[in-house]
Short mmCIF file of all heavy atoms in Angstrom, two decimals:
data_model
loop_
_atom_site.label_atom_id
_atom_site.label_comp_id
_atom_site.label_asym_id
_atom_site.label_seq_id
_atom_site.Cartn_x
_atom_site.Cartn_y
_atom_site.Cartn_z
N GLU A 891 -5.58 7.27 -0.54
CA GLU A 891 -6.92 7.74 -0.18
C GLU A 891 -7.37 7.07 1.13
O GLU A 891 -7.92 7.72 2.03
CB GLU A 891 -7.90 7.41 -1.31
CG GLU A 891 -9.27 8.02 -1.11
CD GLU A 891 -10.20 7.72 -2.28
OE1 GLU A 891 -9.70 7.63 -3.43
OE2 GLU A 891 -11.40 7.55 -2.04
N GLU A 892 -7.13 5.77 1.24
CA GLU A 892 -7.48 5.03 2.46
C GLU A 892 -6.76 5.61 3.68
O GLU A 892 -7.30 5.66 4.78
CB GLU A 892 -7.11 3.55 2.32
CG GLU A 892 -8.11 2.75 1.52
CD GLU A 892 -7.69 1.29 1.43
OE1 GLU A 892 -7.04 0.79 2.39
OE2 GLU A 892 -7.99 0.65 0.40
N ARG A 893 -5.50 6.02 3.48
CA ARG A 893 -4.68 6.53 4.57
C ARG A 893 -4.85 8.04 4.77
O ARG A 893 -4.14 8.65 5.57
CB ARG A 893 -3.19 6.23 4.30
CG ARG A 893 -2.86 4.77 4.29
CD ARG A 893 -3.08 4.14 5.63
NE ARG A 893 -2.77 2.71 5.65
CZ ARG A 893 -3.09 1.90 6.63
NH1 ARG A 893 -3.79 2.37 7.65
NH2 ARG A 893 -2.77 0.63 6.59
N LYS A 894 -5.79 8.63 3.99
CA LYS A 894 -6.07 10.08 4.08
C LYS A 894 -4.80 10.90 3.83
O LYS A 894 -4.52 11.88 4.51
CB LYS A 894 -6.68 10.43 5.44
CG LYS A 894 -8.04 9.76 5.64
CD LYS A 894 -8.68 10.12 6.95
CE LYS A 894 -10.04 9.44 7.06
NZ LYS A 894 -10.69 9.64 8.35
N SER A 895 -4.05 10.43 2.82
CA SER A 895 -2.84 11.15 2.39
C SER A 895 -3.13 11.73 1.01
O SER A 895 -3.86 11.13 0.21
CB SER A 895 -1.66 10.18 2.32
OG SER A 895 -0.46 10.85 2.03
N SER A 896 -2.61 12.91 0.71
CA SER A 896 -2.94 13.59 -0.55
C SER A 896 -2.55 12.73 -1.76
O SER A 896 -1.51 12.08 -1.76
CB SER A 896 -2.23 14.95 -0.63
OG SER A 896 -0.85 14.79 -0.45
N PRO A 897 -3.40 12.72 -2.79
CA PRO A 897 -3.14 11.85 -3.95
C PRO A 897 -1.95 12.32 -4.78
O PRO A 897 -1.57 13.49 -4.74
CB PRO A 897 -4.45 11.95 -4.75
CG PRO A 897 -5.02 13.27 -4.35
CD PRO A 897 -4.64 13.48 -2.92
N MET A 898 -1.38 11.38 -5.53
CA MET A 898 -0.28 11.70 -6.45
C MET A 898 -0.87 12.25 -7.74
O MET A 898 -1.94 11.82 -8.18
CB MET A 898 0.53 10.44 -6.76
CG MET A 898 1.23 9.83 -5.56
SD MET A 898 1.93 8.20 -5.97
CE MET A 898 3.06 8.61 -7.31
N LYS A 899 -0.16 13.22 -8.36
CA LYS A 899 -0.61 13.79 -9.63
C LYS A 899 0.19 13.25 -10.80
O LYS A 899 -0.23 13.33 -11.94
CB LYS A 899 -0.52 15.30 -9.56
CG LYS A 899 -1.50 15.90 -8.55
CD LYS A 899 -1.40 17.40 -8.48
CE LYS A 899 -2.39 17.96 -7.44
NZ LYS A 899 -2.24 19.41 -7.25
N GLN A 900 1.37 12.69 -10.48
CA GLN A 900 2.22 12.11 -11.53
C GLN A 900 3.09 11.02 -10.91
O GLN A 900 3.16 10.91 -9.69
CB GLN A 900 3.11 13.18 -12.16
CG GLN A 900 4.01 13.89 -11.15
CD GLN A 900 4.74 15.07 -11.77
OE1 GLN A 900 4.18 15.78 -12.60
NE2 GLN A 900 5.99 15.25 -11.38
N SER A 901 3.70 10.24 -11.75
CA SER A 901 4.56 9.16 -11.26
C SER A 901 5.67 9.73 -10.38
O SER A 901 6.17 10.83 -10.62
CB SER A 901 5.19 8.39 -12.43
OG SER A 901 4.21 7.66 -13.12
N ASP A 902 6.06 8.95 -9.37
CA ASP A 902 7.13 9.39 -8.47
C ASP A 902 7.85 8.16 -7.93
O ASP A 902 7.35 7.03 -8.01
CB ASP A 902 6.55 10.20 -7.31
CG ASP A 902 7.54 11.25 -6.80
OD1 ASP A 902 8.75 11.08 -7.06
OD2 ASP A 902 7.10 12.20 -6.14
N LYS A 903 9.03 8.37 -7.39
CA LYS A 903 9.81 7.26 -6.83
C LYS A 903 9.07 6.67 -5.63
O LYS A 903 8.50 7.39 -4.80
CB LYS A 903 11.19 7.72 -6.41
CG LYS A 903 12.05 8.30 -7.53
CD LYS A 903 12.37 7.23 -8.59
CE LYS A 903 13.29 7.80 -9.67
NZ LYS A 903 13.43 6.87 -10.81
N ILE A 904 9.10 5.35 -5.52
CA ILE A 904 8.44 4.66 -4.41
C ILE A 904 8.99 5.16 -3.08
O ILE A 904 8.23 5.32 -2.11
CB ILE A 904 8.62 3.13 -4.53
CG1 ILE A 904 7.92 2.62 -5.80
CG2 ILE A 904 8.09 2.42 -3.30
CD1 ILE A 904 8.12 1.14 -6.06
N TYR A 905 10.30 5.43 -3.02
CA TYR A 905 10.95 5.87 -1.77
C TYR A 905 10.26 7.12 -1.22
O TYR A 905 9.98 7.23 -0.02
CB TYR A 905 12.43 6.16 -2.03
CG TYR A 905 13.24 6.46 -0.78
CD1 TYR A 905 13.93 5.47 -0.12
CD2 TYR A 905 13.31 7.76 -0.28
CE1 TYR A 905 14.68 5.74 1.01
CE2 TYR A 905 14.05 8.05 0.87
CZ TYR A 905 14.73 7.04 1.50
OH TYR A 905 15.46 7.32 2.63
N LYS A 906 9.96 8.06 -2.12
CA LYS A 906 9.36 9.33 -1.71
C LYS A 906 7.95 9.12 -1.17
O LYS A 906 7.56 9.71 -0.15
CB LYS A 906 9.34 10.30 -2.89
CG LYS A 906 8.93 11.71 -2.51
CD LYS A 906 9.07 12.65 -3.70
CE LYS A 906 8.59 14.05 -3.34
NZ LYS A 906 8.66 14.95 -4.54
N VAL A 907 7.19 8.24 -1.83
CA VAL A 907 5.82 7.97 -1.38
C VAL A 907 5.85 7.21 -0.05
O VAL A 907 5.09 7.50 0.87
CB VAL A 907 5.05 7.15 -2.44
CG1 VAL A 907 3.61 6.92 -1.99
CG2 VAL A 907 5.08 7.85 -3.79
N PHE A 908 6.75 6.25 0.05
CA PHE A 908 6.88 5.43 1.25
C PHE A 908 7.28 6.29 2.46
O PHE A 908 6.94 5.98 3.61
CB PHE A 908 7.92 4.34 1.00
CG PHE A 908 7.92 3.21 2.00
CD1 PHE A 908 6.91 3.06 2.95
CD2 PHE A 908 8.94 2.27 1.99
CE1 PHE A 908 6.91 2.02 3.86
CE2 PHE A 908 8.96 1.22 2.90
CZ PHE A 908 7.94 1.09 3.84
N SER A 909 7.99 7.39 2.21
CA SER A 909 8.45 8.26 3.30
C SER A 909 7.31 9.03 3.96
O SER A 909 7.49 9.61 5.03
CB SER A 909 9.48 9.27 2.76
OG SER A 909 10.60 8.60 2.22
N ARG A 910 6.14 9.04 3.35
CA ARG A 910 5.02 9.80 3.91
C ARG A 910 4.57 9.21 5.24
O ARG A 910 4.63 7.99 5.45
CB ARG A 910 3.84 9.78 2.94
CG ARG A 910 4.04 10.56 1.66
CD ARG A 910 2.71 10.63 0.94
NE ARG A 910 2.81 11.23 -0.39
CZ ARG A 910 1.75 11.60 -1.11
NH1 ARG A 910 0.53 11.42 -0.60
NH2 ARG A 910 1.90 12.14 -2.30
N PRO A 911 4.06 10.06 6.13
CA PRO A 911 3.49 9.55 7.39
C PRO A 911 2.32 8.60 7.13
O PRO A 911 1.61 8.76 6.13
CB PRO A 911 3.01 10.81 8.11
CG PRO A 911 3.75 11.94 7.47
CD PRO A 911 4.01 11.53 6.05
N LYS A 912 2.14 7.63 8.00
CA LYS A 912 1.02 6.68 7.98
C LYS A 912 1.11 5.62 6.88
O LYS A 912 0.31 4.69 6.85
CB LYS A 912 -0.34 7.40 7.87
CG LYS A 912 -0.63 8.34 9.03
CD LYS A 912 -1.98 9.00 8.83
CE LYS A 912 -2.28 9.99 9.96
NZ LYS A 912 -3.55 10.67 9.76
N ILE A 913 2.06 5.75 5.95
CA ILE A 913 2.21 4.75 4.90
C ILE A 913 3.15 3.65 5.41
O ILE A 913 4.28 3.93 5.81
CB ILE A 913 2.76 5.36 3.60
CG1 ILE A 913 1.89 6.53 3.15
CG2 ILE A 913 2.86 4.29 2.52
CD1 ILE A 913 0.46 6.19 2.89
N THR A 914 2.67 2.41 5.41
CA THR A 914 3.42 1.29 6.00
C THR A 914 3.91 0.32 4.92
O THR A 914 3.52 0.41 3.75
CB THR A 914 2.54 0.52 6.98
OG1 THR A 914 1.50 -0.13 6.24
CG2 THR A 914 1.93 1.45 8.03
N MET A 915 4.74 -0.63 5.35
CA MET A 915 5.22 -1.65 4.43
C MET A 915 4.04 -2.48 3.89
O MET A 915 4.03 -2.84 2.71
CB MET A 915 6.23 -2.57 5.12
CG MET A 915 6.77 -3.68 4.24
SD MET A 915 7.74 -3.07 2.81
CE MET A 915 9.29 -2.68 3.61
N ASN A 916 3.06 -2.74 4.73
CA ASN A 916 1.89 -3.49 4.26
C ASN A 916 1.17 -2.74 3.14
O ASN A 916 0.65 -3.35 2.20
CB ASN A 916 0.92 -3.74 5.42
CG ASN A 916 1.43 -4.83 6.35
OD1 ASN A 916 2.21 -5.68 5.93
ND2 ASN A 916 0.99 -4.81 7.59
N ASP A 917 1.16 -1.40 3.23
CA ASP A 917 0.56 -0.60 2.14
C ASP A 917 1.38 -0.75 0.87
O ASP A 917 0.83 -0.92 -0.22
CB ASP A 917 0.52 0.88 2.54
CG ASP A 917 -0.43 1.15 3.70
OD1 ASP A 917 -1.46 0.47 3.80
OD2 ASP A 917 -0.12 2.05 4.52
N MET A 918 2.70 -0.71 1.01
CA MET A 918 3.57 -0.79 -0.16
C MET A 918 3.49 -2.16 -0.83
O MET A 918 3.68 -2.28 -2.05
CB MET A 918 5.01 -0.47 0.22
CG MET A 918 5.24 0.92 0.82
SD MET A 918 4.41 2.27 -0.08
CE MET A 918 5.17 2.16 -1.69
N LEU A 919 3.20 -3.19 -0.03
CA LEU A 919 3.12 -4.54 -0.61
C LEU A 919 1.89 -4.69 -1.51
O LEU A 919 1.75 -5.70 -2.21
CB LEU A 919 3.09 -5.58 0.51
CG LEU A 919 4.42 -5.79 1.25
CD1 LEU A 919 4.24 -6.72 2.45
CD2 LEU A 919 5.50 -6.33 0.31
N ARG A 920 1.00 -3.72 -1.51
CA ARG A 920 -0.15 -3.73 -2.43
C ARG A 920 0.25 -3.21 -3.81
O ARG A 920 -0.53 -3.31 -4.77
CB ARG A 920 -1.29 -2.90 -1.84
CG ARG A 920 -1.90 -3.57 -0.60
CD ARG A 920 -2.78 -2.62 0.19
NE ARG A 920 -3.93 -2.13 -0.57
CZ ARG A 920 -4.81 -1.27 -0.09
NH1 ARG A 920 -4.67 -0.80 1.16
NH2 ARG A 920 -5.83 -0.86 -0.83
N VAL A 921 1.45 -2.63 -3.90
CA VAL A 921 1.98 -2.18 -5.20
C VAL A 921 2.59 -3.38 -5.90
O VAL A 921 3.43 -4.09 -5.32
CB VAL A 921 3.04 -1.07 -4.99
CG1 VAL A 921 3.67 -0.69 -6.33
CG2 VAL A 921 2.40 0.14 -4.31
N GLY A 922 2.16 -3.64 -7.11
CA GLY A 922 2.58 -4.84 -7.84
C GLY A 922 4.08 -5.07 -7.87
O GLY A 922 4.56 -6.18 -7.60
N GLU A 923 4.84 -4.01 -8.23
CA GLU A 923 6.29 -4.19 -8.37
C GLU A 923 6.97 -4.49 -7.04
O GLU A 923 7.93 -5.25 -6.98
CB GLU A 923 6.89 -2.92 -8.99
CG GLU A 923 6.61 -2.79 -10.47
CD GLU A 923 7.29 -1.57 -11.08
OE1 GLU A 923 6.72 -0.48 -10.93
OE2 GLU A 923 8.38 -1.72 -11.65
N VAL A 924 6.45 -3.87 -5.95
CA VAL A 924 7.03 -4.12 -4.63
C VAL A 924 6.78 -5.57 -4.21
O VAL A 924 7.68 -6.28 -3.75
CB VAL A 924 6.46 -3.15 -3.57
CG1 VAL A 924 7.00 -3.49 -2.19
CG2 VAL A 924 6.78 -1.71 -3.94
N LYS A 925 5.53 -6.01 -4.38
CA LYS A 925 5.17 -7.38 -4.02
C LYS A 925 6.00 -8.38 -4.83
O LYS A 925 6.50 -9.38 -4.28
CB LYS A 925 3.68 -7.60 -4.28
CG LYS A 925 3.19 -8.96 -3.80
CD LYS A 925 1.69 -9.11 -4.04
CE LYS A 925 1.22 -10.49 -3.56
NZ LYS A 925 -0.22 -10.69 -3.83
N ALA A 926 6.18 -8.10 -6.12
CA ALA A 926 6.96 -9.00 -6.98
C ALA A 926 8.42 -9.05 -6.53
O ALA A 926 9.03 -10.12 -6.50
CB ALA A 926 6.87 -8.52 -8.44
N TYR A 927 8.97 -7.88 -6.16
CA TYR A 927 10.38 -7.84 -5.71
C TYR A 927 10.57 -8.68 -4.45
O TYR A 927 11.53 -9.45 -4.33
CB TYR A 927 10.80 -6.39 -5.43
CG TYR A 927 12.26 -6.24 -5.05
CD1 TYR A 927 13.23 -5.97 -6.01
CD2 TYR A 927 12.67 -6.39 -3.72
CE1 TYR A 927 14.57 -5.85 -5.65
CE2 TYR A 927 14.00 -6.28 -3.35
CZ TYR A 927 14.95 -6.01 -4.33
OH TYR A 927 16.28 -5.91 -3.99
N VAL A 928 9.64 -8.54 -3.52
CA VAL A 928 9.73 -9.29 -2.25
C VAL A 928 9.67 -10.79 -2.52
O VAL A 928 10.47 -11.56 -1.95
CB VAL A 928 8.59 -8.87 -1.29
CG1 VAL A 928 8.49 -9.82 -0.10
CG2 VAL A 928 8.82 -7.44 -0.79
N GLU A 929 8.76 -11.21 -3.40
CA GLU A 929 8.61 -12.64 -3.69
C GLU A 929 9.81 -13.18 -4.46
O GLU A 929 10.31 -14.27 -4.16
CB GLU A 929 7.32 -12.87 -4.48
CG GLU A 929 6.07 -12.65 -3.62
CD GLU A 929 4.78 -12.71 -4.42
OE1 GLU A 929 4.87 -12.80 -5.67
OE2 GLU A 929 3.69 -12.65 -3.81
N GLU A 930 10.29 -12.43 -5.45
CA GLU A 930 11.43 -12.88 -6.25
C GLU A 930 12.70 -13.02 -5.42
O GLU A 930 13.51 -13.93 -5.65
CB GLU A 930 11.70 -11.88 -7.40
CG GLU A 930 10.69 -11.97 -8.54
CD GLU A 930 10.80 -10.78 -9.48
OE1 GLU A 930 11.85 -10.08 -9.44
OE2 GLU A 930 9.85 -10.54 -10.25
N ASN A 931 12.87 -12.11 -4.45
CA ASN A 931 14.10 -12.13 -3.64
C ASN A 931 13.92 -12.84 -2.30
O ASN A 931 14.84 -12.85 -1.48
CB ASN A 931 14.58 -10.70 -3.41
CG ASN A 931 15.08 -10.05 -4.67
OD1 ASN A 931 16.21 -10.24 -5.08
ND2 ASN A 931 14.20 -9.28 -5.32
#
């Protein structure tokens, strides 16, 4: 919504969402599982 990208209606793979225009790594790091993966590894 912040990035003015159409909302998701159901769960989807992170890769597909990340592929959208204007969506950055900083945006993805707000997703709990992504942030946890980065910290764990």
Side-chain angles (χ1 to χ4, degrees):
E891 188 178 327
E892 281 180 31
R893 295 296 180 192
K894 296 182 179 175
S895 185
S896 55
M898 296 170 60
K899 294 179 180 175
Q900 58 188 38
S901 291
D902 210 340
K903 300 296 183 189
I904 296 176
Y905 187 94
K906 188 174 177 183
V907 183
F908 195 10
S909 300
R910 291 190 187 192
K912 299 180 182 178
I913 305 301
T914 67
M915 179 64 79
N916 285 335
D917 294 326
M918 300 314 299
L919 288 173
R920 291 166 62 182
V921 175
E923 285 183 279
V924 176
K925 186 178 180 182
Y927 183 93
V928 169
E929 290 173 353
E930 285 167 17
N931 291 278

